[in-house]
């Protein structure tokens, strides 16, 4: 299947590690020039360097997506590769805890990175997409949008991202911009694999997945590439669940 992404400029937030890192590599392999955005400068630079060593065009930009000024600087720097055609709002963190013990800071930081980050980045890139009459906004939500104990902040943020996606799709369709979300299930990122209790966690998670195995970052990056392409031109306002068949249980 030809995705025809050659020459497009893709910006991925939280791209220094995990799903974001795999996503910039996949989009680069499909012909995109990529902006690697991350709050961790070392991770962003290492990822961009690895992309360039592999023959791809890449730019590392350090950005806190909850800062309006930093997001504006991010988009301005992205102009070095050309106007942004594809935005992947992937940045997110977890600060788990039961609600009765959750601090205001734990709530604000998680929800702000997920929702405010998507708001600021989308608002900044949309004018150029609207002018081109072509654009893709892809928001990385989570199966956790259905709710997980100990994750009221994360679940609320990821559920809110689905509402954000649907509303923005209605606004942007007439400008040739599609807006979709991807809801990953349990994905075996390097960070997950390195947890000391990973073997126990792995067994418990596999037992809940109908297909009988857990996802890998490439399962999400492949979905991103599909939604970013013209193959998916008639898909907008939807949430693609990449969960191996697991939903709310």
């Amino acid at each position: 299947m030809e995705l025809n992404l050659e020459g497009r400029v893709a910006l991925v937030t939280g791209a220094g590690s995990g799903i974001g890192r795999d996503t910039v590599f996949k989009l680069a392999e499909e012909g995109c020039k990529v902006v690697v955005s991350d709050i961790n400068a070392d991770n962003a630079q290492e990822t961009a360097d690895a992309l360039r060593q592999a023959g791809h065009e890449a730019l590392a930009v350090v950005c806190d997506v909850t800062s309006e000024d930093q997001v504006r600087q991010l988009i301005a720097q992205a102009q070095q590769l050309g106007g942004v055609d594809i935005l992947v709002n992937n940045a997110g963190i977890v600060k788990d805890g039961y609600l009765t013990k959750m601090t205001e800071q734990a709530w604000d930081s998680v929800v702000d990175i997920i929702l405010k980050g998507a708001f600021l980045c989308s608002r900044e890139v949309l004018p150029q997409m609207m002018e081109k009459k072509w654009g893709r906004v892809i928001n990385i939500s989570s199966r956790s949008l259905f709710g997980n104990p100990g994750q009221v902040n994360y679940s609320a943020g990821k559920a809110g991202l689905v509402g954000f996606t649907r509303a923005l799709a209605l606004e942007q369709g007439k400008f040739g911009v599609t807006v979709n979300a991807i809801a990953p299930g349990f994905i075996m990122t390097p960070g997950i694999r390195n947890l000391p209790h990973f073997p126990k966690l792995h067994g418990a998670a596999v037992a809940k997945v109908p297909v009988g195995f857990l996802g890998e970052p490439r399962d999400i990056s492949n979905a991103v590439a599909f939604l970013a392409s013209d193959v998916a031109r008639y898909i907008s306002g939807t949430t693609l669940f990449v969960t191996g068949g697991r939903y709310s249980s």
Side-chain angles (χ1 to χ4, degrees):
M1 181 184 294
E2 293 293 331
L3 298 183
N4 298 318
L5 291 174
E6 192 73 32
R8 298 290 188 187
V9 177
L11 164 61
V12 182
T13 65
S17 61
I19 289 171
R21 179 186 170 94
D22 207 80
T23 297
V24 288
F25 270 91
K26 175 62 179 176
L27 292 173
E29 289 164 5
E30 293 294 338
C32 290
K33 295 178 281 187
V34 293
V35 181
V36 181
S37 171
D38 203 283
I39 198 169
N40 185 304
D42 291 339
N43 286 354
Q45 193 60 58
E46 189 278 328
T47 298
D49 288 344
L51 283 159
R52 286 191 287 266
Q53 289 169 10
H56 305 300
E57 195 167 353
L59 173 69
V61 182
V62 178
C63 180
D64 175 355
V65 296
T66 68
S67 165
E68 184 176 44
D69 288 341
Q70 289 191 38
V71 169
R72 285 177 174 164
Q73 292 171 19
L74 165 65
I75 305 309
Q77 291 184 62
Q79 296 301 314
Q80 296 177 41
L81 299 183
V84 176
D85 301 297
I86 301 160
L87 169 65
V88 183
N89 287 310
N90 170 70
I93 60 169
V94 292
K95 289 191 176 181
D96 295 349
Y98 283 93
L99 183 64
T100 53
K101 297 181 179 180
M102 184 174 290
T103 65
E104 184 176 2
Q105 190 276 336
W107 172 273
D108 286 346
S109 60
V110 170
V111 174
D112 279 359
I113 289 173
I114 295 170
L115 284 179
K116 188 177 181 181
F119 158 66
L120 290 175
C121 291
S122 300
R123 188 183 65 175
E124 199 65 24
V125 302
L126 279 170
Q128 53 192 264
M129 292 181 179
M130 294 162 70
E131 184 176 351
K132 294 179 182 179
K133 298 293 184 182
W134 196 98
R136 301 286 185 264
V137 178
I138 301 167
N139 301 313
I140 306 302
S141 181
S142 170
R143 188 207 61 82
S144 299
L145 68 90
F146 293 116
N148 279 336
Q151 286 194 318
V152 291
N153 48 1
Y154 187 76
S155 293
K158 293 299 188 178
L161 201 54
V162 170
F164 175 90
T165 298
R166 291 175 177 172
L168 191 57
L170 293 172
E171 292 181 7
Q172 289 297 315
K174 62 186 176 183
F175 299 107
V177 178
T178 66
V179 186
N180 290 290
I182 295 172
F186 195 111
I187 304 298
M188 292 193 294
T189 62
I192 293 293
R193 290 180 185 274
N194 291 333
L195 292 173
H197 61 293
F198 174 72
K200 181 179 179 180
L201 182 67
H202 178 271
V206 167
K208 295 181 179 180
V209 179
V211 299
F213 62 91
L214 300 183
E216 298 180 359
R218 64 189 172 98
D219 295 306
I220 308 305
S221 62
N222 285 337
V224 170
F226 167 69
L227 289 175
S229 74
D230 281 332
V231 177
R233 65 176 191 163
Y234 201 55
I235 301 172
S236 192
T238 195
T239 300
L240 176 59
F241 287 88
V242 187
T243 64
R246 183 185 176 196
Y247 290 91
S248 58
S249 63

